[in-house]
Amino acid sequence: MKRYLLIYPGNETLGRKIAEGAGLQIVDFKLRRFPDGESYFQLLSAVQGGEVVILCSLFHPDEKIVQLIYMAETCRHNGATRVTLIAPYLPYMRQDKAFKPGEAVTSGTFADIVSAYFDKLITIEPHLHRIASLDDIYSITTHALSSAASIAAWVKEHVPDALLTGPDEESTPWIENVAQRTGLPYTVLTKIRSGDREVKLEVPDISKYQQRTPVIIDDIVSTATTMIKAVKLLIEKGARPPVCIATHAVFAADSFRELKDSGAEKIVTTNTIPHESNEIDISGEIIGCLNG
Ligand code: R5P
């Protein structure tokens, strides 16, 4: 079956790599907003009888999801037999239960919306915490790819004396994964969060690793509160200035500058979300999934 790639604006760098690596034909379209804010979409390429793969990293998801629905539906109306969504960053994975009465469980509702309009979802390192698998909430085929191999390769090349550091217990699986691939030692901090920007961290005894560079690895940097607290605490404990690595460079508001100012040696992210800190390329994982 012929396969096409529709690259949502802003995803062109990753999109071109995926199109080339997986042999997808890039489709032309027009997307704009009317003066009143409504969306206009026009498909300019023929997709009859083929699979359309739409690439859109879903940070700031609310402004994109409706346009993605129009794109998917228009592709189907024009003869596409399958529509796949590649969302390198998948949002709405944290509010997976009502913590307080009356709260929206947005993980499930967002999954229902995507499942209603797409046949397949490919994403990288979704924040699976209380939900064990995307299949628990998505009713379509899902592929949750790991960034661990790419992160491990980067660490091995750039920080061979690393002490891999997980900022909280949730990070243990990917810290262990990177440790296994690199043979580097690791430690995991404990974290208690009491608000969006209120977290308390504790560091285990790392005195035997003073000659190593802490490399803090997390799945997402949002307000950067977690990373900033971890950097400061590690330095307070006598560690070298840490290198910070995150899969998803969400960086809300001024948090990238705040993290830079916190004493971090370097901040590196993968290209699931376009950002100046992108240094680790995950296109290979997506191409492998499309070709597999
Ligand atoms: C926690 O559950 C996640 O793995 C990240 O540690 C968290 O989302 C980072 O958020 P922030 O940058 O706002 O501290």
Side-chain angles (χ1 to χ4, degrees):
M1 188 194 302
K2 184 114 183 139
R3 292 191 302 175
Y4 303 91
L5 183 66
L6 194 164
I7 305 172
Y8 188 92
N11 295 262
E12 290 78 6
T13 309
L14 183 59
R16 278 191 289 269
K17 287 183 183 177
I18 292 172
E20 195 179 323
L24 308 185
Q25 189 181 316
I26 296 176
V27 302
D28 273 346
F29 62 89
K30 254 190 208 162
L31 177 67
R32 68 175 182 89
R33 285 194 191 273
F34 289 105
D36 59 10
E38 289 183 5
S39 295
Y40 172 90
F41 177 73
Q42 182 186 15
L43 186 64
L44 297 171
S45 303
V47 296
Q48 177 74 34
E51 174 182 3
V52 178
V53 178
I54 302 181
L55 171 68
C56 180
S57 193
L58 279 168
F59 55 102
H60 300 158
D62 296 5
E63 65 197 43
K64 295 175 183 140
I65 189 66
V66 172
Q67 294 186 331
L68 288 178
I69 291 171
Y70 297 148
M71 289 173 171
E73 286 293 272
T74 310
C75 290
R76 282 191 211 281
H77 295 155
N78 283 272
T81 51
R82 286 178 66 79
V83 185
T84 291
L85 174 63
I86 303 177
Y89 171 64
L90 185 67
Y92 285 118
M93 288 303 294
R94 283 179 289 185
Q95 192 71 24
D96 54 12
K97 71 172 204 178
F99 298 91
K100 296 179 194 150
E103 277 183 349
V105 184
T106 46
S107 288
T109 307
F110 191 78
D112 289 345
I113 296 169
V114 171
S115 300
Y117 291 98
F118 294 88
D119 299 299
K120 185 159 83 175
L121 169 69
I122 299 173
T123 188
I124 307 271
E125 219 73 77
H127 187 75
L128 295 170
H129 174 36
R130 282 165 295 267
I131 294 167
S133 155
L134 286 179
D135 297 340
D136 294 351
I137 52 172
Y138 282 80
S139 57
I140 52 175
T141 303
T142 61
H143 296 277
L145 311 177
S146 169
S147 57
S150 300
I151 290 176
W154 189 92
V155 173
K156 227 174 163 172
E157 183 183 343
H158 295 91
V159 200
D161 65 348
L163 168 63
L164 306 174
T165 307
D168 53 28
E169 295 87 338
E170 285 176 23
S171 62
T172 307
W174 59 84
I175 288 291
E176 283 177 349
N177 192 334
V178 175
Q180 221 167 41
R181 291 169 185 275
T182 55
L184 288 164
Y186 72 93
T187 187
V188 174
L189 315 190
T190 49
K191 174 169 97 178
I192 299 169
R193 185 184 281 279
S194 50
D196 287 346
R197 288 176 189 268
E198 287 88 47
V199 298
K200 196 172 172 322
L201 297 185
E202 278 173 26
V203 187
D205 182 13
I206 50 163
S207 46
K208 65 175 176 188
Y209 297 121
Q210 296 287 326
Q211 297 316 309
R212 290 188 170 268
T213 304
V215 175
I216 308 168
I217 306 177
D218 209 348
D219 58 344
I220 171 170
V221 190
S222 179
T223 64
T225 307
T226 304
M227 281 284 190
I228 291 170
K229 288 266 160 75
V231 166
K232 289 188 172 164
L233 196 57
L234 286 162
I235 292 174
E236 233 174 75
K237 299 280 178 197
R240 293 180 182 172
V243 171
C244 298
I245 300 182
T247 301
H248 305 299
V250 173
F251 288 118
D254 212 13
S255 56
F256 182 56
R257 188 193 51 75
E258 288 164 8
L259 180 55
K260 272 175 146 174
D261 291 348
S262 71
E265 169 72 22
K266 190 171 172 65
I267 304 160
V268 175
T269 59
T270 78
N271 53 353
T272 60
I273 296 176
H275 189 265
E276 63 180 281
S277 58
N278 291 169
E279 249 188 65
I280 302 173
D281 179 24
I282 47 70
S283 63
E285 278 83 347
I286 295 172
I287 292 164
C289 180
L290 288 168
N291 289 343

